[in-house]
Amino acid sequence: MDDADATRVVRAGLPGEEPYAPPLPGPVFAAHYHLPGDVTDAPYAYGRDTNPTWAGLESAIGELESPGDPDVETVTFASGMGAISAVLFSQLRPGDAAVLPSDGYNLLASLRQRLEDFGIEVRTAPTAGEAQRELLAGARLLWIETPSNPGLDVCDIRALADAAHERGALVAVDNTLATPLGQRPLALGADLSVASGTKALTGHGDVLLGYVACRDADLAASVRAWRKTVGAIPGPMEAWLAHRSLATLDVRTRRQADTALAVAEALRVRPEVTDVRHPGLPGDPAHAAAARQMSRYGCVVSFTLPGREFAERFLDTLRLVGDATSFGGVRSTAERRGRWGGDDVPDGFVRLSVGLEDADDLVTDLGRALDAAAR
């Protein structure tokens, strides 16, 4: 059955119905399992290897990342950085070259240093305009982040994946901002779809989680072996909370994307605000590319205010928007992104994550805070 996303998310990864059993079994807390005889084919043997609660979540994410695909495999991790690190360090060897975005998540800079310490050549280029294409010769792996965080630029996944495969490179896509309902990298030619489940996937700001999804069994096995070796496993409670939260993924991300567009349109006409970015804006530099490969445009809006002090006054005055990092939660948050020091952004650059508040209320609150900051 080819169910729609709204139907799929509420049923993904659930076991078959049994009389008097819960639809979503509770978390399994176990460091070890009863294990008689030969362990070769044991589905559960030790708590660092496998867990029934992870298995349910991994099945669910696989159904969303690549619906109806019997070959898709998902490996969950304790955090998004655990998932990112697993891909890079399980696939790259000394002497290899990797192509990374120069404008991606700011911890990629730390990973770059680690990779170079291990003798791996790292090349970087901006996300926009498929600039990474020019660096692919001889590369082992291409890492794409689209939309990029925090700048919200977009690149053509299929075009870059085709170019990378022609040169023998693997392709991994960070799909955190889009989620599997907004963009499906595996269908666009990527070998691996990677994400932080901490963000919109779970949406309540109460779970750290990451995952890697792919269609190649050997690739999945190497990523899974890395998880086992370094112990970057999710807790059963976190996995259960994430699976529970998936049921509302469609309604949350649809509402957030609609409100984010309304917010972006309202901010664009304010004289104090410049460089408003959201892939759903018809005039946004990323819109044409986003429209080709995304079915919804995400919850993040970025914009620039006239300096650090102005941005801080604005953030302090907001009533409905918390001053916090991360994005994708049910409550709106925003921050002056430059405070972390790892992003090449102006002092007044703000990353706003739109939650589930009423759109008119949110627009009113933002306008009031801008008025107050300007006084």
mmCIF file of all heavy atoms in Angstrom, residues 277-313:
data_model
loop_
_atom_site.group_PDB
_atom_site.id
_atom_site.type_symbol
_atom_site.label_atom_id
_atom_site.label_comp_id
_atom_site.label_asym_id
_atom_site.label_seq_id
_atom_site.Cartn_x
_atom_site.Cartn_y
_atom_site.Cartn_z
ATOM 1 N N ARG A 277 16.285 34.810 4.936
ATOM 2 C CA ARG A 277 16.435 33.574 4.175
ATOM 3 C C ARG A 277 15.441 32.515 4.668
ATOM 4 O O ARG A 277 15.304 32.268 5.865
ATOM 5 C CB ARG A 277 17.858 33.015 4.317
ATOM 6 C CG ARG A 277 18.958 33.888 3.786
ATOM 7 C CD ARG A 277 18.872 34.108 2.280
ATOM 8 N NE ARG A 277 18.803 32.882 1.515
ATOM 9 C CZ ARG A 277 19.875 32.194 1.088
ATOM 10 N NH1 ARG A 277 21.094 32.618 1.375
ATOM 11 N NH2 ARG A 277 19.706 31.098 0.361
ATOM 12 N N HIS A 278 14.759 31.920 3.724
ATOM 13 C CA HIS A 278 13.935 30.735 3.951
ATOM 14 C C HIS A 278 13.728 30.103 2.583
ATOM 15 O O HIS A 278 13.319 30.797 1.641
ATOM 16 C CB HIS A 278 12.590 31.090 4.586
ATOM 17 C CG HIS A 278 11.698 29.894 4.802
ATOM 18 N ND1 HIS A 278 12.017 28.880 5.679
ATOM 19 C CD2 HIS A 278 10.531 29.525 4.217
ATOM 20 C CE1 HIS A 278 11.067 27.959 5.646
ATOM 21 N NE2 HIS A 278 10.164 28.322 4.770
ATOM 22 N N PRO A 279 14.012 28.812 2.421
ATOM 23 C CA PRO A 279 13.915 28.199 1.091
ATOM 24 C C PRO A 279 12.534 28.280 0.456
ATOM 25 O O PRO A 279 12.405 28.173 -0.767
ATOM 26 C CB PRO A 279 14.322 26.744 1.338
ATOM 27 C CG PRO A 279 15.133 26.778 2.587
ATOM 28 C CD PRO A 279 14.542 27.863 3.417
ATOM 29 N N GLY A 280 11.503 28.491 1.260
ATOM 30 C CA GLY A 280 10.156 28.576 0.715
ATOM 31 C C GLY A 280 9.788 29.922 0.149
ATOM 32 O O GLY A 280 8.776 30.051 -0.555
ATOM 33 N N LEU A 281 10.575 30.958 0.418
ATOM 34 C CA LEU A 281 10.296 32.277 -0.134
ATOM 35 C C LEU A 281 10.519 32.259 -1.647
ATOM 36 O O LEU A 281 11.607 31.901 -2.107
ATOM 37 C CB LEU A 281 11.220 33.320 0.492
ATOM 38 C CG LEU A 281 10.842 33.902 1.846
ATOM 39 C CD1 LEU A 281 11.987 34.758 2.368
ATOM 40 C CD2 LEU A 281 9.551 34.710 1.770
ATOM 41 N N PRO A 282 9.540 32.660 -2.431
ATOM 42 C CA PRO A 282 9.719 32.633 -3.896
ATOM 43 C C PRO A 282 10.936 33.411 -4.378
ATOM 44 O O PRO A 282 11.563 33.036 -5.366
ATOM 45 C CB PRO A 282 8.414 33.254 -4.408
ATOM 46 C CG PRO A 282 7.409 32.929 -3.353
ATOM 47 C CD PRO A 282 8.160 33.021 -2.056
ATOM 48 N N GLY A 283 11.313 34.473 -3.699
ATOM 49 C CA GLY A 283 12.455 35.256 -4.127
ATOM 50 C C GLY A 283 13.777 34.844 -3.505
ATOM 51 O O GLY A 283 14.812 35.461 -3.767
ATOM 52 N N ASP A 284 13.774 33.802 -2.677
ATOM 53 C CA ASP A 284 15.006 33.375 -2.011
ATOM 54 C C ASP A 284 15.976 32.777 -3.022
ATOM 55 O O ASP A 284 15.562 32.062 -3.943
ATOM 56 C CB ASP A 284 14.681 32.331 -0.941
ATOM 57 C CG ASP A 284 15.874 32.019 -0.062
ATOM 58 O OD1 ASP A 284 16.711 31.160 -0.454
ATOM 59 O OD2 ASP A 284 15.995 32.625 1.019
ATOM 60 N N PRO A 285 17.288 33.037 -2.895
ATOM 61 C CA PRO A 285 18.258 32.475 -3.832
ATOM 62 C C PRO A 285 18.224 30.951 -3.922
ATOM 63 O O PRO A 285 18.610 30.380 -4.944
ATOM 64 C CB PRO A 285 19.603 32.958 -3.274
ATOM 65 C CG PRO A 285 19.285 34.169 -2.474
ATOM 66 C CD PRO A 285 17.920 33.941 -1.916
ATOM 67 N N ALA A 286 17.752 30.294 -2.852
ATOM 68 C CA ALA A 286 17.723 28.825 -2.830
ATOM 69 C C ALA A 286 16.386 28.249 -3.289
ATOM 70 O O ALA A 286 16.252 27.032 -3.396
ATOM 71 C CB ALA A 286 18.024 28.330 -1.416
ATOM 72 N N HIS A 287 15.406 29.102 -3.557
ATOM 73 C CA HIS A 287 14.052 28.580 -3.763
ATOM 74 C C HIS A 287 13.929 27.656 -4.970
ATOM 75 O O HIS A 287 13.286 26.603 -4.887
ATOM 76 C CB HIS A 287 13.047 29.721 -3.890
ATOM 77 C CG HIS A 287 11.636 29.255 -4.091
ATOM 78 N ND1 HIS A 287 10.927 28.597 -3.103
ATOM 79 C CD2 HIS A 287 10.808 29.302 -5.176
ATOM 80 C CE1 HIS A 287 9.727 28.289 -3.553
ATOM 81 N NE2 HIS A 287 9.636 28.695 -4.811
ATOM 82 N N ALA A 288 14.521 28.018 -6.084
ATOM 83 C CA ALA A 288 14.363 27.202 -7.291
ATOM 84 C C ALA A 288 14.919 25.802 -7.079
ATOM 85 O O ALA A 288 14.278 24.797 -7.431
ATOM 86 C CB ALA A 288 15.050 27.878 -8.477
ATOM 87 N N ALA A 289 16.111 25.701 -6.491
ATOM 88 C CA ALA A 289 16.699 24.389 -6.230
ATOM 89 C C ALA A 289 15.891 23.626 -5.190
ATOM 90 O O ALA A 289 15.665 22.415 -5.320
ATOM 91 C CB ALA A 289 18.149 24.547 -5.766
ATOM 92 N N ALA A 290 15.429 24.324 -4.151
ATOM 93 C CA ALA A 290 14.636 23.669 -3.113
ATOM 94 C C ALA A 290 13.330 23.128 -3.670
ATOM 95 O O ALA A 290 12.895 22.024 -3.313
ATOM 96 C CB ALA A 290 14.362 24.650 -1.971
ATOM 97 N N ALA A 291 12.693 23.885 -4.553
ATOM 98 C CA ALA A 291 11.406 23.459 -5.106
ATOM 99 C C ALA A 291 11.533 22.177 -5.928
ATOM 100 O O ALA A 291 10.577 21.411 -6.038
ATOM 101 C CB ALA A 291 10.817 24.575 -5.966
ATOM 102 N N ARG A 292 12.706 21.927 -6.484
ATOM 103 C CA ARG A 292 12.903 20.714 -7.283
ATOM 104 C C ARG A 292 13.043 19.468 -6.431
ATOM 105 O O ARG A 292 12.739 18.373 -6.892
ATOM 106 C CB ARG A 292 14.143 20.876 -8.168
ATOM 107 C CG ARG A 292 13.981 21.851 -9.312
ATOM 108 C CD ARG A 292 15.102 21.700 -10.327
ATOM 109 N NE ARG A 292 16.407 22.011 -9.762
ATOM 110 C CZ ARG A 292 16.968 23.224 -9.791
ATOM 111 N NH1 ARG A 292 16.311 24.235 -10.342
ATOM 112 N NH2 ARG A 292 18.164 23.437 -9.268
ATOM 113 N N GLN A 293 13.511 19.600 -5.194
ATOM 114 C CA GLN A 293 13.820 18.393 -4.439
ATOM 115 C C GLN A 293 13.204 18.340 -3.037
ATOM 116 O O GLN A 293 13.330 17.322 -2.353
ATOM 117 C CB GLN A 293 15.337 18.223 -4.331
ATOM 118 C CG GLN A 293 16.040 19.298 -3.522
ATOM 119 C CD GLN A 293 17.556 19.227 -3.659
ATOM 120 O OE1 GLN A 293 18.102 18.701 -4.628
ATOM 121 N NE2 GLN A 293 18.265 19.747 -2.671
ATOM 122 N N MET A 294 12.524 19.401 -2.619
ATOM 123 C CA MET A 294 11.926 19.416 -1.292
ATOM 124 C C MET A 294 10.406 19.506 -1.401
ATOM 125 O O MET A 294 9.877 20.206 -2.257
ATOM 126 C CB MET A 294 12.450 20.604 -0.472
ATOM 127 C CG MET A 294 13.944 20.584 -0.237
ATOM 128 S SD MET A 294 14.544 22.000 0.741
ATOM 129 C CE MET A 294 13.902 21.561 2.378
ATOM 130 N N SER A 295 9.721 18.802 -0.511
ATOM 131 C CA SER A 295 8.264 18.847 -0.497
ATOM 132 C C SER A 295 7.734 19.775 0.587
ATOM 133 O O SER A 295 6.553 20.129 0.593
ATOM 134 C CB SER A 295 7.688 17.445 -0.291
ATOM 135 O OG SER A 295 8.200 16.864 0.890
ATOM 136 N N ARG A 296 8.566 20.155 1.533
ATOM 137 C CA ARG A 296 8.283 21.224 2.498
ATOM 138 C C ARG A 296 9.617 21.822 2.904
ATOM 139 O O ARG A 296 10.637 21.144 2.856
ATOM 140 C CB ARG A 296 7.450 20.734 3.679
ATOM 141 C CG ARG A 296 8.047 19.608 4.480
ATOM 142 C CD ARG A 296 7.039 19.006 5.453
ATOM 143 N NE ARG A 296 6.094 18.125 4.776
ATOM 144 C CZ ARG A 296 5.168 17.385 5.396
ATOM 145 N NH1 ARG A 296 5.050 17.437 6.704
ATOM 146 N NH2 ARG A 296 4.352 16.606 4.717
ATOM 147 N N TYR A 297 9.591 23.091 3.309
ATOM 148 C CA TYR A 297 10.824 23.866 3.327
ATOM 149 C C TYR A 297 11.435 24.105 4.704
ATOM 150 O O TYR A 297 12.378 24.870 4.830
ATOM 151 C CB TYR A 297 10.593 25.199 2.630
ATOM 152 C CG TYR A 297 10.176 25.037 1.191
ATOM 153 C CD1 TYR A 297 8.869 25.347 0.781
ATOM 154 C CD2 TYR A 297 11.076 24.559 0.232
ATOM 155 C CE1 TYR A 297 8.492 25.199 -0.546
ATOM 156 C CE2 TYR A 297 10.705 24.398 -1.085
ATOM 157 C CZ TYR A 297 9.406 24.724 -1.474
ATOM 158 O OH TYR A 297 9.028 24.568 -2.777
ATOM 159 N N GLY A 298 10.913 23.467 5.707
ATOM 160 C CA GLY A 298 11.550 23.540 7.008
ATOM 161 C C GLY A 298 11.068 24.678 7.882
ATOM 162 O O GLY A 298 10.343 25.576 7.460
ATOM 163 N N CYS A 299 11.554 24.644 9.119
ATOM 164 C CA CYS A 299 11.062 25.554 10.152
ATOM 165 C C CYS A 299 12.009 26.703 10.439
ATOM 166 O O CYS A 299 11.715 27.547 11.291
ATOM 167 C CB CYS A 299 10.835 24.768 11.446
ATOM 168 S SG CYS A 299 12.361 24.061 12.131
ATOM 169 N N VAL A 300 13.146 26.758 9.783
ATOM 170 C CA VAL A 300 14.171 27.740 10.135
ATOM 171 C C VAL A 300 14.113 28.950 9.208
ATOM 172 O O VAL A 300 14.006 28.812 7.990
ATOM 173 C CB VAL A 300 15.571 27.109 10.100
ATOM 174 C CG1 VAL A 300 16.644 28.157 10.399
ATOM 175 C CG2 VAL A 300 15.666 25.965 11.110
ATOM 176 N N VAL A 301 14.189 30.124 9.810
ATOM 177 C CA VAL A 301 14.308 31.389 9.099
ATOM 178 C C VAL A 301 15.554 32.076 9.637
ATOM 179 O O VAL A 301 15.759 32.135 10.850
ATOM 180 C CB VAL A 301 13.080 32.298 9.333
ATOM 181 C CG1 VAL A 301 13.244 33.628 8.600
ATOM 182 C CG2 VAL A 301 11.799 31.595 8.907
ATOM 183 N N SER A 302 16.398 32.581 8.756
ATOM 184 C CA SER A 302 17.559 33.347 9.215
ATOM 185 C C SER A 302 17.471 34.769 8.675
ATOM 186 O O SER A 302 16.901 35.006 7.609
ATOM 187 C CB SER A 302 18.866 32.683 8.782
ATOM 188 O OG SER A 302 19.045 32.772 7.386
ATOM 189 N N PHE A 303 18.025 35.697 9.433
ATOM 190 C CA PHE A 303 18.003 37.101 9.026
ATOM 191 C C PHE A 303 19.064 37.860 9.802
ATOM 192 O O PHE A 303 19.616 37.353 10.790
ATOM 193 C CB PHE A 303 16.621 37.725 9.236
ATOM 194 C CG PHE A 303 16.069 37.567 10.629
ATOM 195 C CD1 PHE A 303 16.216 38.575 11.577
ATOM 196 C CD2 PHE A 303 15.384 36.410 10.995
ATOM 197 C CE1 PHE A 303 15.693 38.436 12.860
ATOM 198 C CE2 PHE A 303 14.860 36.260 12.272
ATOM 199 C CZ PHE A 303 15.014 37.276 13.213
ATOM 200 N N THR A 304 19.345 39.077 9.350
ATOM 201 C CA THR A 304 20.395 39.873 9.976
ATOM 202 C C THR A 304 19.824 41.192 10.482
ATOM 203 O O THR A 304 19.074 41.873 9.769
ATOM 204 C CB THR A 304 21.538 40.142 8.984
ATOM 205 O OG1 THR A 304 22.069 38.887 8.542
ATOM 206 C CG2 THR A 304 22.657 40.946 9.643
ATOM 207 N N LEU A 305 20.178 41.522 11.717
ATOM 208 C CA LEU A 305 19.778 42.774 12.349
ATOM 209 C C LEU A 305 20.995 43.707 12.436
ATOM 210 O O LEU A 305 22.134 43.257 12.263
ATOM 211 C CB LEU A 305 19.204 42.489 13.740
ATOM 212 C CG LEU A 305 17.928 41.635 13.755
ATOM 213 C CD1 LEU A 305 17.504 41.310 15.179
ATOM 214 C CD2 LEU A 305 16.804 42.336 13.001
ATOM 215 N N PRO A 306 20.766 45.004 12.727
ATOM 216 C CA PRO A 306 21.868 45.983 12.685
ATOM 217 C C PRO A 306 22.825 45.874 13.872
ATOM 218 O O PRO A 306 22.895 46.754 14.733
ATOM 219 C CB PRO A 306 21.154 47.329 12.697
ATOM 220 C CG PRO A 306 19.745 47.061 12.384
ATOM 221 C CD PRO A 306 19.465 45.677 12.884
ATOM 222 N N GLY A 307 23.540 44.778 13.963
ATOM 223 C CA GLY A 307 24.578 44.644 14.969
ATOM 224 C C GLY A 307 24.202 43.789 16.157
ATOM 225 O O GLY A 307 23.044 43.415 16.367
ATOM 226 N N ARG A 308 25.217 43.485 16.950
ATOM 227 C CA ARG A 308 25.058 42.600 18.100
ATOM 228 C C ARG A 308 24.090 43.155 19.136
ATOM 229 O O ARG A 308 23.210 42.452 19.631
ATOM 230 C CB ARG A 308 26.432 42.358 18.737
ATOM 231 C CG ARG A 308 26.387 41.583 20.029
ATOM 232 C CD ARG A 308 27.777 41.272 20.546
ATOM 233 N NE ARG A 308 27.720 40.574 21.824
ATOM 234 C CZ ARG A 308 28.769 39.990 22.386
ATOM 235 N NH1 ARG A 308 29.958 40.041 21.789
ATOM 236 N NH2 ARG A 308 28.646 39.367 23.543
ATOM 237 N N GLU A 309 24.255 44.421 19.506
ATOM 238 C CA GLU A 309 23.421 44.992 20.565
ATOM 239 C C GLU A 309 21.955 45.018 20.156
ATOM 240 O O GLU A 309 21.067 44.721 20.960
ATOM 241 C CB GLU A 309 23.901 46.409 20.904
ATOM 242 C CG GLU A 309 25.262 46.460 21.579
ATOM 243 C CD GLU A 309 26.417 46.225 20.618
ATOM 244 O OE1 GLU A 309 26.195 46.315 19.382
ATOM 245 O OE2 GLU A 309 27.530 45.946 21.094
ATOM 246 N N PHE A 310 21.694 45.364 18.908
ATOM 247 C CA PHE A 310 20.317 45.380 18.417
ATOM 248 C C PHE A 310 19.731 43.971 18.487
ATOM 249 O O PHE A 310 18.598 43.779 18.965
ATOM 250 C CB PHE A 310 20.284 45.897 16.972
ATOM 251 C CG PHE A 310 18.897 46.184 16.459
ATOM 252 C CD1 PHE A 310 18.470 47.497 16.294
ATOM 253 C CD2 PHE A 310 18.018 45.154 16.132
ATOM 254 C CE1 PHE A 310 17.180 47.770 15.816
ATOM 255 C CE2 PHE A 310 16.749 45.416 15.653
ATOM 256 C CZ PHE A 310 16.329 46.722 15.492
ATOM 257 N N ALA A 311 20.483 42.976 18.041
ATOM 258 C CA ALA A 311 19.993 41.600 18.048
ATOM 259 C C ALA A 311 19.716 41.113 19.470
ATOM 260 O O ALA A 311 18.709 40.442 19.727
ATOM 261 C CB ALA A 311 21.003 40.680 17.367
ATOM 262 N N GLU A 312 20.581 41.486 20.398
ATOM 263 C CA GLU A 312 20.382 41.046 21.778
ATOM 264 C C GLU A 312 19.174 41.726 22.413
ATOM 265 O O GLU A 312 18.432 41.094 23.187
ATOM 266 C CB GLU A 312 21.656 41.277 22.584
ATOM 267 C CG GLU A 312 22.770 40.311 22.160
ATOM 268 C CD GLU A 312 24.085 40.559 22.875
ATOM 269 O OE1 GLU A 312 24.221 41.629 23.516
ATOM 270 O OE2 GLU A 312 24.976 39.694 22.784
ATOM 271 N N ARG A 313 18.950 43.014 22.103
ATOM 272 C CA ARG A 313 17.742 43.681 22.600
ATOM 273 C C ARG A 313 16.496 43.006 22.022
ATOM 274 O O ARG A 313 15.506 42.784 22.732
ATOM 275 C CB ARG A 313 17.758 45.166 22.224
ATOM 276 C CG ARG A 313 18.783 46.003 22.933
ATOM 277 C CD ARG A 313 18.486 47.491 22.808
ATOM 278 N NE ARG A 313 18.423 47.955 21.432
ATOM 279 C CZ ARG A 313 19.475 48.371 20.732
ATOM 280 N NH1 ARG A 313 20.686 48.360 21.281
ATOM 281 N NH2 ARG A 313 19.326 48.806 19.490
#
